[in-house]
Structure formats: C-alpha cells, structure tokens
Amino acid sequence: MTFTRSTMAIAVASTLVACSAPQVDNTPKQPTSVLTAKFTMNGLYLPDHKGTQTVYTRENMRAIDQEAKFDSFYMRWANYDQSFIFRMEDKLLWDVNHDKETYRECPISGCNDVFAEFMAKTQDASEEEEEYETYEEKGCAVELATNKFDVVATNKTRKIGGLPAQEYTARWTTEFKDSKGKVDLNLLQFVFWTTVPTAEMQNAWKVHEKATDNYLDAVGDNNPLVRLLGREGYKAISAFSGDVEKSDASQFNSITKKLSTIEGYPLSIKLEWFQNSEACAVVKKKRSDEAIDLSQGIGNAASTFFGNMIKDGADKVVDDVVADWKKEARVRYIYEVTSVSEKMIKDTTFEVPNDYTLEDRQ
C-alpha cells in the first residue's frame, strides 16, 4: 500500500514537472528587421498614457507588438498588451489580445470595431446627445484662407540613444474664414530628431520599403489613408516617418517634397495638434440684454436685472478660461526609437499562439 502511494506520488510529481516545463520552440529563425521604440500620448482629447513598441518586419509580413499603461488609476482598465500581425501574401491581419489570450482574423485593410459601431449607433439614436455639426449643417459658408506647410532645420543637436541627432520642425497651418471674418485655426506641429543612418538602418529601410510595397499591393484602395493620399502619398508619409527610404522625392506633392528635405533616420517624432475655433460661432445673448419683466414689481425686476449683470461677468470669466483652454494641445504624441537592427527571429513571431482563442473572423 505504501509502495503504491509512493509510486502514484512520483507519477503525479513527474506529470506536474512535465506540465510546468516551458514548451520548446523549434521553429526556424530568419533574418528580420527589428525596431524598438517608446511612446507617450496625452492632450485635451486623450488620457495620459505611455508604452513600448517592437516592430518585426520581413518582406511579406510584419508584427507590431505594443504595450501601454494609463497614468490615471481610473483608466487602468484600458491598459493593453496587443499585437498586429500582417500577412501580405494571405491578405490577412491578426489582431491579438495578449491580456485575454484571444485574437481576431480580419482583412489586411483592418478590423471593424463592432463595439465602437454599436456605441455610435446608440449615440445616434439618443436625442439628448449633442452631435458634431459640419459647416453645411450650421448653414455657415467658409473658405480656406490659409494652407501653409513649412519645414525648418533648426541646427540644434543632441544625442538620442547614444547617437548624434539634429532637429527639424514642420508646421502645417490651415485657416477657415467665415463671412464675418472669423477664423478656425488648426496647427499641426512636428518636431523631428534625425541621425545619419547606420548600415543596419539602411538595411531596415530596404526591408520596410519592400514590405510597404507588398502591403499596398495586398490592400489596394481598402485603406482610408491610401484612398486619401494615393499609393505614392502613402509611401511618402512612410518615408517621412522613417519606415521607408526617401528614394524619389520628385514623385511627391509639395508637402511631401518639403518633408523629403529632412535628412537622416528619425529617432524621435513629436506631434502636437492645436486648434482655435472662432468661425460660425453662435452669438450668446447677454442676460442683461433681456427685456425687464415688471410683472413681479419694480423691486424684483431690478434685482433680476442686476443679478443678470453679475452673471454676465461670470460668463466672461468662463469664456476667458475656455479661450485659454484652447491654447493647449488637443493631441500630443511623442515617439522615440530606441534601436534598429537585423536579428535572427523565429517564424512564430508572425503567428498567433496555438492556445489563443479565435474571438471573431471578418
């Protein structure tokens, strides 16, 4: 009996040890471009959060591993650890959720966010929701008064990740003016720190450019950015973000031609969007301009009138605060490359883990 118990104990222990041992990944390794980066996002429209990103690229596949955490305790539910795996030959995208150990299989053009669509429909159905109004819906005619894009080499230098870097700034300003001369101002501002590319960076450019070509062949015009900018415009933006080499600036429009004057490989990109909306404003009627109501007697009318004047002063204070609020960046995004290299990476990097559950197929 004792012998039997001992034998069973040994068997159970052996089984547990076998189960706890990590599975060995014997899949082959292939040369792969690997980029690592860290990023920060904040602003009036975004809760503060920061994260890291690793991008693995081969000519016919790309995997983007991204992890982020929100600063606010109340936003920790939104922390994420996910991967996007693009398989160009199969025209597939896998959206992998590592927290839930689930994934979605979608066309390479992207996944439809069912929850977001449902929420949008719910909001559309609510009569209490205030909807965004276009200029046409407001019945307000505007004209594009300013559309200016400039790139400047500041001659400032610093070291990023041990590499010497130089600074460039790009500013895109648009102004929409209404019939009364009031203006909606949008300012998109970039700050780039670039370095002379190493041999590994140049090799990464070549691999990324081939992968981008294969992606564009696979996605066609089923990508909104491709439809907006065209194939070469999309490649121009990729070049400007350091994803492909700026090999033929002559094919780009005036904006991307200016971007092509930025020399080197981007190590850090800072984007800020500022907005000041004055056009098509609805003039608020002052309380003190309202007709004096004598129906409740002169004393009460005077009290109401002077009370409204005080409230008008409070309104002005609020308006001044709002005006100051508009000076803040609506969106701020900082992306900093920490390494670019070529490594031998296992094929499973571009596969969904076997034990993950399929959540949706689109």
Side-chain angles (χ1 to χ4, degrees), residues 70-277:
F70 288 78
D71 291 357
S72 169
F73 173 81
Y74 298 102
M75 285 297 298
R76 289 183 182 177
W77 61 268
N79 294 349
Y80 59 86
D81 180 5
Q82 65 184 142
S83 296
F84 297 98
I85 302 173
F86 298 84
R87 302 294 295 247
M88 281 65 133
E89 288 183 345
D90 302 320
K91 297 185 178 181
L92 284 179
L93 165 64
W94 288 315
D95 178 356
V96 183
N97 186 323
H98 296 293
D99 294 317
K100 295 181 179 179
E101 297 190 348
T102 61
Y103 71 99
R104 296 188 294 167
E105 183 177 284
C106 310
I108 198 167
S109 56
C111 298
N112 294 324
D113 193 328
V114 178
F115 178 75
E117 291 177 356
F118 171 76
M119 290 302 295
K121 290 178 180 178
T122 303
Q123 290 177 353
D124 289 342
S126 173
E127 295 180 357
E128 297 180 358
E129 288 290 336
E130 182 178 347
E131 296 182 1
Y132 169 77
E133 288 185 301
T134 64
Y135 290 123
E136 290 78 8
E137 290 170 335
K138 290 179 181 179
C140 178
V142 295
E143 62 177 5
L144 180 60
T146 302
N147 185 11
K148 187 168 67 174
F149 186 87
D150 292 307
V151 174
V152 176
T154 66
N155 296 321
K156 293 181 181 179
T157 60
R158 62 181 293 188
K159 281 195 172 183
I160 297 178
L163 295 173
Q166 58 182 340
E167 184 188 50
Y168 291 85
T169 61
R171 292 166 62 92
W172 190 352
T173 305
T174 59
E175 293 183 0
F176 292 90
K177 185 181 295 185
D178 66 15
S179 59
K180 296 181 180 179
K182 299 292 185 180
V183 172
D184 279 356
L185 170 66
N186 285 278
L187 170 63
L188 199 60
Q189 183 170 278
F190 297 88
V191 178
F192 303 94
W193 289 92
T194 69
T195 190
V196 176
T198 63
E200 284 189 308
M201 289 176 180
Q202 290 177 332
N203 288 336
W205 257 334
K206 291 181 174 62
V207 174
H208 287 210
E209 184 168 21
K210 184 62 178 175
T212 301
D213 283 334
N214 289 332
Y215 169 77
L216 291 171
D217 289 342
V219 78
D221 62 356
N222 291 323
N223 177 298
L225 198 57
V226 174
R227 289 197 299 272
L228 178 66
L229 302 173
R231 182 184 177 104
E232 298 308 329
Y234 183 94
K235 289 187 68 176
I237 297 300
S238 295
F240 135 76
S241 64
D243 196 34
V244 299
E245 192 169 8
K246 298 183 288 289
S247 56
D248 187 5
S250 63
Q251 65 186 324
F252 303 146
N253 61 27
S254 60
I255 290 177
T256 49
K257 278 183 180 178
K258 289 180 180 178
L259 287 172
S260 69
T261 64
I262 298 175
E263 297 179 353
Y265 192 97
L267 293 178
S268 176
I269 300 172
K270 179 180 179 180
L271 178 153
E272 291 179 303
W273 173 33
F274 299 91
Q275 186 183 59
N276 190 17
S277 300

Side-chain angles (χ1 to χ4, degrees), residues 18-64:
C19 291
S20 63
Q23 295 182 349
V24 179
D25 184 356
N26 292 317
T27 56
K29 295 181 178 181
Q30 306 291 342
T32 306
S33 172
V34 182
L35 179 147
T36 62
K38 55 185 179 181
F39 63 89
T40 302
M41 297 186 75
N42 53 51
L44 294 172
Y45 288 170
L46 294 173
D48 293 6
H49 63 286
K50 58 181 69 72
T52 58
Q53 186 183 82
T54 304
V55 183
Y56 303 92
T57 306
R58 296 179 187 171
E59 290 187 357
N60 280 305
M61 57 190 73
R62 169 173 283 179
I64 302 174

